[in-house]
Amino acid sequence: MILAIDTSCDETAAALTEGRRVISNVIYSQILIHKKWGGVVPSLAKRAHEKKIDKVIDEVIKKAKKKDIDYIAVTQGPGLAVALEVGIKKAKELAKKYDKKLVAVNHLEGHIYSPFVQNSKGNPNIDFDFPYLVLIASGGHTSLLIFKDHLQYQVLGETVDDAAGEALDKAAKLLGLGYPGGPVIERLSQQVDNKDFYRFPRPMLQSNNLNFSFSGLKTSFYYFLKKINQADKLLNIKLLASSFQEAVFDTLIKKTEKAINLTKINHLLVVGGVSANLRLKTLMKRMIKKHQGKILFPPNKNLTGDNAAMIGVAAYYKVLQNKWVRNIDSLDRIPRLNFNF
Ligand code: KG4
Ligand code: ZN
């Protein structure tokens, strides 16, 4: 069994996993702490992680019937330096105290494995069928990559500025909708029929590469809101939220489609916090059908956002390849960890 820890951003998460199965999974979200600041405040995140980490680990162990832990896994990066630090310190401490092997996991690798995470009974039981095209859409990342085989990735494109979730969060802030913005925007957009009323610009669709950019859209949204008066803004808030969401999702869909055409890979994984969005799921399914492909999402909401279960499962595949940390003391966080490891 693997005890996995993730403190990469604003959730303190621990899980016990066995192969691809989740034995127990605990996520303490700091949303209430950061909400009033309209985004994650690093110093508050650090303090909250420190306050909760022991409790979250105790709880995850208490919930499991079996307690035979063989490995400790921890997110090394990417993420918030002061937040990552808390999980890594704890993981090192536990690995030494109980003489366990320590596995360092890339947070994005965790997201990539999330569609394959199973419940304690082994469901859903989907076999790996490489290669996959992966779209990661979260608060910190928007990336397209090829998942070639276990632990083998090739990055095709990334955002050059804001991530998709970050763009949704910023738009929600401009609309006065609070943090995090993605779920609120989703809820408002469900209440309108004409989902793309304003037709905001689609960033980077003209460019020939597979990179994303959302800052142009954010700026044009900002100036559009400045132009209209407060009453109009409030009156049309659902249409504004929905049109912004459509512009972001249209970009995600078209770039993913471009990647399918380029790579001829029509097995798609869509992961990360934004992949919880039902509108995105519908649009992605529609697109992949045109390409006679298959699509997988994380099986439930606990696995779309940040969690430690996905870290435990990715760690399992690292253990199978003997990829654990040889010198525990030397393990350090890498806030900008990428796929060249
Ligand atoms: O993966 P995640 O929990 O954390 C990161 O690794 O960044 O992603 C968080 C992001 C936030 O920007 C949040 O607004 C967005 O995911 N999000 C959503 C939804 N739920 C969370 N975006 C759109 N629709 C949702 N239902
Ligand atoms: Zn994440």
Side-chain angles (χ1 to χ4, degrees):
M1 228 165 31
I2 296 178
L3 167 66
I5 299 169
D6 183 290
T7 61
S8 58
C9 189
D10 60 346
E11 354 275 344
T12 316
L16 282 172
T17 57
E18 195 165 32
R20 284 160 62 187
R21 296 175 189 221
V22 182
I23 308 304
S24 62
N25 189 20
V26 174
I27 303 166
Y28 169 74
S29 168
Q30 303 176 359
I31 280 179
L32 289 177
I33 295 171
H34 302 294
K35 212 179 176 117
K36 61 172 176 278
W37 306 102
V40 179
V41 183
S43 57
L44 296 181
K46 178 184 164 76
R47 206 181 315 149
H49 281 309
E50 282 171 344
K51 213 171 132 197
K52 287 287 175 186
I53 186 99
D54 285 331
K55 233 180 254 175
V56 166
I57 292 171
D58 280 351
E59 207 175 309
V60 91
I61 292 172
K62 214 181 287 164
K63 274 186 167 178
K65 283 194 198 91
K66 292 187 293 179
K67 324 262 176 204
D68 48 335
I69 295 164
D70 307 297
Y71 300 89
I72 314 275
V74 67
T75 297
Q76 185 175 23
L80 215 55
V82 290
L84 289 164
E85 222 162 70
V86 180
I88 289 180
K89 190 168 161 232
K90 183 55 63 182
K92 284 160 85 168
E93 187 185 307
L94 292 174
K96 281 202 206 164
K97 186 169 168 193
Y98 297 104
D99 194 21
K100 304 291 175 195
K101 289 197 172 87
L102 182 62
V103 188
V105 177
N106 181 318
H107 180 76
L108 298 180
E109 197 165 28
H111 278 300
I112 294 169
Y113 273 93
S114 64
F116 303 97
V117 175
Q118 301 173 330
N119 66 16
S120 60
K121 297 194 176 70
N123 291 316
N125 191 8
I126 304 154
D127 283 333
F128 286 90
D129 187 7
F130 295 107
Y132 294 96
L133 190 67
V134 188
L135 172 69
I136 305 175
S138 71
H141 294 87
T142 304
S143 313
L144 270 168
L145 47 99
I146 304 175
F147 186 14
K148 293 176 169 178
D149 201 339
H150 285 299
L151 312 181
Q152 285 181 38
Y153 319 93
Q154 181 189 337
V155 178
L156 302 173
E158 277 170 320
T159 183
V160 297
D161 40 57
D162 293 349
E166 190 180 3
L168 292 169
D169 292 341
K170 286 179 177 170
K173 203 170 174 182
L174 290 174
L175 291 172
L177 294 172
Y179 174 85
V184 197
I185 288 186
E186 172 174 35
R187 192 161 39 76
L188 292 179
S189 69
Q190 282 166 344
Q191 298 168 35
V192 294
D193 292 326
N194 189 352
K195 302 221 181 288
D196 200 11
F197 185 81
Y198 291 105
R199 289 210 56 81
F200 293 119
R202 272 52 172 157
M204 298 284 274
L205 280 189
Q206 268 43 277
S207 75
N208 232 352
N209 57 39
L210 295 173
N211 287 334
F212 301 88
S213 164
F214 294 105
S215 74
L217 167 66
K218 186 186 64 188
T219 309
S220 66
F221 189 64
Y222 172 79
Y223 284 111
F224 187 84
L225 292 184
K226 262 184 104 162
K227 240 177 23 204
I228 61 174
N229 61 41
Q230 188 65 13
D232 274 349
K233 186 169 132 182
L234 287 177
L235 212 61
N236 296 307
I237 201 153
K238 291 177 188 170
L239 289 172
L240 287 163
S242 178
S243 301
F244 187 89
Q245 183 182 270
E246 288 299 293
V248 172
F249 289 178
D250 204 22
T251 307
L252 295 179
I253 302 274
K254 297 263 168 61
K255 286 280 175 179
T256 306
E257 194 163 21
K258 198 174 260 180
I260 292 174
N261 289 328
L262 274 170
T263 61
K264 311 282 178 240
I265 299 171
N266 65 356
H267 271 181
L268 184 62
L269 307 178
V270 183
V271 302
V274 184
S275 74
N277 189 291
L278 296 179
R279 176 73 180 158
L280 180 65
K281 284 187 169 181
T282 304
L283 294 171
M284 280 286 177
K285 282 183 195 160
R286 208 178 281 164
M287 183 275 287
I288 204 73
K289 209 170 160 191
K290 270 201 301 187
H291 294 270
Q292 280 108 40
K294 280 190 267 181
I295 187 164
L296 290 173
F297 300 95
N300 64 55
K301 266 202 174 164
N302 276 342
L303 296 168
T304 53
D306 289 345
N307 66 88
M310 67 184 190
I311 301 300
V313 172
Y316 168 70
Y317 290 94
K318 295 194 83 164
V319 167
L320 290 182
Q321 295 187 17
N322 297 329
K323 290 185 170 159
W324 56 78
V325 178
R326 305 294 144 160
N327 178 355
I328 292 179
D329 284 322
S330 72
L331 184 74
D332 201 0
R333 77 254 187 311
I334 308 180
R336 297 186 174 274
L337 185 62
N338 55 28
F339 281 99
N340 311 317
F341 59 98

